[in-house]
């Protein structure tokens, strides 16, 4: 089974990140393939800003403005083959 874990916590030593590590090790020990994406390692900004919405005013509202929504990124393509998204 392919499992994709998305983590979004700014502190690398957080409880959330320790859960990601534990889950990754547990799934891998069971023979599953696991991919982890840490949004903060990719300079993720959890706040929506006016500069992000200006481009959407002339196109379909659901059009993503950052790489996380694009279906051609390696992580998005990997996620599309996953059995579980955590």
């Amino acid at each position: 089974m392919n499992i994709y874990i998305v983590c979004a916590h700014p502190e690398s030593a957080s409880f959330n990140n320790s859960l990601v590590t534990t889950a990754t090790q547990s799934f891998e020990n069971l023979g599953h393939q696991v991919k982890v994406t840490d949004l903060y390692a990719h300079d993720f900004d959890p706040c929506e800003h006016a500069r992000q919405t200006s481009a959407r005013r002339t196109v379909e509202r659901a059009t993503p403005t950052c790489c996380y929504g694009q279906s051609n990124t390696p992580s998005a393509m990997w996620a599309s083959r996953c059995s579980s998204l955590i």
Side-chain angles (χ1 to χ4, degrees):
M1 181 184 306
N2 292 330
I3 298 172
Y4 187 32
I5 301 174
V6 179
C7 179
H9 197 284
E11 176 57 50
S12 61
S14 70
F15 178 70
N16 287 357
N17 285 328
S18 67
L19 290 175
V20 169
T21 300
T22 300
T24 300
Q25 291 170 349
S26 297
F27 286 128
E28 287 176 342
N29 289 341
L30 292 170
H32 303 296
Q33 290 193 9
V34 180
K35 178 171 177 60
V36 176
T37 295
D38 180 355
L39 297 181
Y40 278 91
H42 296 283
D43 296 323
F44 173 73
D45 183 356
C47 298
E48 176 112 26
H49 299 280
R51 68 179 180 275
Q52 296 167 315
T53 60
S54 61
R56 290 196 305 241
R57 291 186 181 134
T58 59
V59 294
E60 184 179 330
R61 290 197 55 79
T63 302
T65 58
C66 70
C67 64
Y68 303 109
Q70 296 177 356
S71 61
N72 61 345
T73 62
S75 291
M77 289 186 292
W78 201 92
S80 70
R81 298 187 310 267
C82 286
S83 305
S84 297
L85 175 63
I86 299 174

